[in-house]
Amino acid sequence: MASSRAPNASARLLFVALTLCLASLASAGNFYQDVDITWGDGRGKILENGQLLTLSLDKNSGSGFQSKNQYLYGKFDMQIKLVPGDSAGTVATFYLSSLGDTHDEIDLEFLGNLSGDPYVVHTNLYTQGKGNREQQFYLWFDPTKDFHTYSVLWNPRHIVFYVDGTPIREFRNRESTTGVPYPKSQAMRVYGSLWDADDWATRGGRVKTDWSKAPFTASYRSYTAAGCVAYGGGAPSCGLGSSSWMWQELDANDADRLKWVQKNYMIYNYCADVWRFPQGLPPECNAS
């Protein structure tokens, strides 16, 4: 599984100066304490004494929530059971984002399907307002039958997307060598939503949402956030000693699993789409 590696002295001092590192902070386990349902006019519900959150979508509206805290770096986990049956046109999400035109964003989106077809996991990253870094995957299980854990690791070295502890994508911080901005200064909230995107979500928009199947419902539970919490624009507060995620890297087993997923389940990679980038692939695609 994932391993941690201590930073060198200069990196440690830099991070201490940046964050003031007062305490190791984590939230876990109760949606009443951790999130606010922000839209949907009652279609988002917190149930089971805060242990379960459901989002629903009908022809009039979807629904969504956001974390009460903002974070600058962290490890974020959510168990999700996706919309079953004919979910074509629907998109369920679990992502992080800052605000503004030059926002940073780390996206996990689950694109609905016709009954019997696989779900598509759509990942993307925005840095300084620029996205277009999509990778898409099929899953190796039916994500509607039970809850599965979807995770984002975001630290100064890299961003990693996980499914049930298996890494499916890594985006490394190569800002110093490629000039490609890396999310390192804008605090982000955690978001979840369920919404209608039948103009693009299923087979490029060729398959539309069947509203006779509505309402569509996705379920969320076991949310955990271990990160540097940003309070009211002040310096984020987090801890170095107990925060193994802060310097966590992929070990040999993780690297093998990542290659296995990308070989067998990746269905789109922007870094291989030469037709999309006739002037040349983005610089991070050519970095070793």
Side-chain angles (χ1 to χ4, degrees), residues 118-192:
Y119 256 85
V120 172
V121 180
H122 176 94
T123 67
N124 200 0
L125 291 128
Y126 288 77
T127 60
Q128 296 295 306
K130 180 184 181 299
N132 298 324
R133 298 185 176 100
E134 300 92 343
Q135 290 184 0
Q136 294 183 340
F137 307 83
Y138 287 142
L139 292 169
W140 48 95
F141 53 83
D142 183 344
T144 73
K145 296 297 186 183
D146 203 350
F147 286 90
H148 291 268
T149 302
Y150 304 92
S151 308
V152 170
L153 170 68
W154 169 35
N155 68 28
R157 292 176 171 169
H158 59 171
I159 294 164
V160 186
F161 299 82
Y162 295 88
V163 175
D164 286 336
T166 293
I168 65 170
R169 178 178 184 178
E170 180 188 31
F171 181 83
R172 293 205 65 84
N173 180 0
R174 294 190 175 94
E175 185 167 355
S176 63
T177 57
T178 66
V180 176
Y182 185 81
K184 63 183 185 301
S185 60
Q186 299 188 69
M188 295 195 246
R189 293 189 192 274
V190 179
Y191 295 87

Side-chain angles (χ1 to χ4, degrees), residues 47-118:
L47 306 167
E48 298 181 5
N49 296 317
Q51 301 304 301
L52 178 70
L53 188 153
T54 61
L55 298 177
S56 292
L57 164 69
D58 58 36
K59 197 167 187 177
N60 295 313
S61 179
S63 48
F65 64 86
Q66 68 180 36
S67 63
K68 294 180 184 292
N69 289 330
Q70 300 182 74
Y71 301 90
L72 185 65
Y73 301 133
K75 177 72 168 16
F76 308 92
D77 305 285
M78 184 76 80
Q79 291 189 1
I80 307 172
K81 183 161 63 172
L82 296 174
V83 176
D86 184 351
S87 57
T90 71
V91 175
T93 71
F94 173 55
Y95 68 101
L96 289 87
S97 183
S98 60
L99 301 176
D101 292 338
T102 58
H103 73 292
D104 296 332
E105 189 170 325
I106 305 169
D107 287 340
L108 270 169
E109 298 184 318
F110 305 93
L111 312 186
N113 60 6
L114 289 168
S115 296
D117 287 350

Side-chain angles (χ1 to χ4, degrees), residues 8-22:
N8 61 37
S10 60
R12 181 183 291 271
L13 289 173
L14 175 62
F15 191 73
V16 170
L18 172 67
T19 66
L20 300 183
C21 291
L22 301 177

